[in-house]
Amino acid sequence: MNTIVIGGGQAGLAATRTLLDAGLTPVLLEATDQATGSWGRYYDSLTLFSPARYSSLPGLAFGGDGDRYPHRDEVVDYLTRYARDLGRGGAEIRTGARVTAVAAGAQGSGGGFAVHLADGSTLNAPAVIAASGSFDRPHLPVLPGRDGFTGQILHAAAYTNPLPYTGRRIVVVGAGNSAVQIACELAETNTVTLATRTPIRFVDQRPLGKDLHFWFTVTGFDRLPARLVTTPPTVPVLDEGTYRQALREGRLERRPMFTRLDEGDVVWVDGSREPVDVVLLATGYQPNLDYLNGLGALDERGHPRHDRGLSTTHPGLGFLGLEWQRTPASNTLRGVGRDARYLARKLKAHLGARRFRAGVYSSGRPRW
C-alpha cells in the first residue's frame, strides 16, 4: 500500500482505478457498507443532467441507451458494478472504514501520513487522496429568525420524496437544478414558491437537437482550465421547457429571497408576510473534510488549500471531486476521471522522488 483513498463515491472509485493503472497500490476506505458514495441517499426522483454516454468513470462505460438521462438508482447500480470490477482487478476496498483524522506520519515510520479510523486502528502511507465528497456537509445559509420559526426547516440532503408534505405551504430556497427539480415535484401536491436571490437562469437542455453536454465536449468547455476563471459562474438550470412552463402557468411561483422568518411566517422583501409550513434549503454543499482539521491542510472555511487538486501545504496529499478543481466538469461523473488521472500521475512522480531521496534507487529505477 502506497496510497490511501478516503471515500468510496465516484471520485474515490475513479482515483482507485487510475492509481492502479499507474502501477500504484491504493487502499480505498469507505465509511458506509457500500462503495457508491452518497448517490443512494439523494431524493428518489433524481435524474442526471448529463446523458449516459457522458456519465462514465475511467474504464467502464455506463451502458444502455447513451442518450437517456439515468435515474439515481441506475447510478447506484453502475457504481456498484464499478467497485466490483475494481475488486476483481486487485483493488483493496474496505467498507465500514470511517476515517476520523489524518495526521503527519512520524519520521521514524518514514513520514507520509497516519490515517486514523473510527475502530481505533491506524494506517500509514506516503500519499493520501481525500475524495469524501460533500453530501454530509450541506450548506446552511443564515436565515434571520430561524431559531424562532415554528415550521419545518430541512436541507435537500434530507428530502426523499413529496409524500410527507402533501397539502403544505412550502418555500424552496435555491436557484440551481436540484432546487427547481424538487420544487416542481412538490408543486404537484402543494403550494410552492422558489425563493432566490437572483432570477433563475435557464439553459436549453438540447440546443440544435443535441444535448448540451455534446456541445460542452466538442467546444472544449468541459476542459476549460479552472485557473482561468476568477469567479466560477453559477450553474444554470438545464431545461427542455418543463420548468419554465410550470412557472409561466403559475403551477410554481418564483419570488426574491425573503428577508426573515417570524414564528410561522416568512416576511418577503415587500414587507408582506404569509404562513409557511416548510422551508426547504436547496443551497448546495461544502467539502466534507473534517478529518483534515488537525493537519493544517484546510483554510479557515474548511476548504482545501490546493492547486488543481494537489495540496499546497502537504506534499503527497491530493483532493478529488471538488467543484471547479481543474475544470467546470471536475465534480461530475463525466469529468472526475480526468482529474483522477492527473492526480495519479502527480502522486506517482511524488512517490518516485520520495524514494529517490530516501536512497531506494540503486540504478535509476524504482524497486516498487
Side-chain angles (χ1 to χ4, degrees):
M1 171 181 63
N2 50 30
T3 310
I4 293 174
V5 179
I6 303 173
Q10 61 193 40
L13 293 170
T16 303
R17 174 60 187 258
T18 55
L19 290 167
L20 284 172
D21 290 347
L24 303 180
T25 54
V27 171
L28 173 62
L29 304 178
E30 165 56 31
T32 69
D33 61 358
Q34 189 177 18
T36 55
S38 55
W39 281 98
R41 294 184 284 156
Y42 286 121
Y43 54 95
D44 293 347
S45 63
L46 182 143
T47 56
L48 293 185
F49 305 113
S50 56
R53 72 173 73 255
Y54 302 107
S55 302
S56 299
L57 299 178
L60 181 66
F62 204 99
D65 179 5
D67 291 326
R68 79 188 191 286
Y69 299 94
H71 181 266
R72 176 203 68 183
D73 293 345
E74 291 183 80
V75 179
V76 173
D77 290 342
Y78 170 75
L79 295 178
T80 300
R81 287 188 286 117
Y82 198 91
R84 184 175 61 242
D85 287 356
L86 277 176
R88 289 172 177 171
E92 184 178 354
I93 298 176
R94 302 185 189 180
T95 57
R98 180 177 297 278
V99 174
T100 58
V102 175
Q107 290 299 318
S109 64
F113 302 93
V115 177
H116 302 288
L117 305 182
D119 64 5
S121 62
T122 298
L123 300 176
N124 293 281
V128 167
I129 293 179
S132 45
S134 58
F135 186 82
D136 289 316
R137 195 184 173 201
H139 172 61
L140 303 174
V142 174
L143 300 176
R146 173 177 183 149
D147 291 343
F149 183 60
T150 57
Q152 180 183 5
I153 299 176
L154 73 155
H155 192 274
Y159 172 76
T160 303
N161 59 59
L163 292 178
Y165 309 100
T166 302
R168 313 283 288 280
R169 177 68 177 99
I170 301 173
V171 173
V172 176
V173 178
N177 283 284
S178 293
V180 174
Q181 192 176 88
I182 290 172
C184 275
E185 179 175 75
L186 286 168
E188 295 177 9
T189 55
N190 304 277
T191 302
V192 179
T193 297
L194 266 169
T196 70
R197 298 195 183 282
T198 58
I200 302 168
R201 186 162 63 96
F202 290 101
V203 170
D204 287 338
Q205 179 84 57
R206 300 184 64 83
L208 301 178
K210 294 282 191 180
D211 183 86
L212 193 64
H213 295 85
F214 167 83
W215 301 109
F216 285 168
T217 301
V218 300
T219 62
F221 174 80
D222 256 5
R223 296 176 180 269
L224 177 71
R227 62 182 181 275
L228 299 180
V229 181
T230 55
T231 303
T234 301
V235 177
V237 175
L238 306 187
D239 183 25
E240 292 188 74
T242 302
Y243 303 140
R244 282 169 285 191
Q245 183 176 355
L247 287 165
R248 285 195 303 269
E249 295 177 352
R251 290 181 282 116
L252 176 67
E253 177 191 36
R254 181 263 163 186
R255 297 186 68 168
M257 182 63 185
F258 55 82
T259 59
R260 70 182 190 277
L261 302 171
D262 186 7
E263 295 185 345
D265 297 347
V266 296
V267 181
W268 299 103
V269 292
D270 61 3
S272 64
R273 57 196 301 149
E274 64 174 310
V276 167
D277 300 305
V278 179
V279 175
L280 191 152
L281 304 172
T283 47
Y285 301 84
Q286 300 291 324
N288 181 32
L289 299 167
D290 287 352
Y291 51 86
L292 295 176
N293 282 339
L295 190 63
L298 308 179
D299 64 18
E300 61 281 355
R301 300 173 300 157
H303 289 203
R305 303 180 189 274
H306 75 100
D307 177 16
R308 289 167 286 179
L310 293 167
S311 172
T312 55
T313 60
H314 292 76
L317 175 62
F319 301 94
L320 195 60
L322 303 173
E323 295 284 352
W324 283 76
Q325 177 171 313
R326 291 179 64 241
T327 72
S330 284
N331 190 24
T332 66
L333 281 165
R334 73 184 188 275
V336 72
R338 289 193 295 269
D339 289 4
R341 292 188 187 97
Y342 174 82
L343 271 187
R345 291 195 304 269
K346 292 295 185 179
L347 289 180
K348 183 173 183 177
H350 165 74
L351 293 172
R354 187 172 183 271
R355 284 178 172 263
F356 183 86
R357 289 193 299 270
V360 175
Y361 279 78
S362 60
S363 59
R365 301 178 63 185
R367 293 181 180 176
W368 58 279

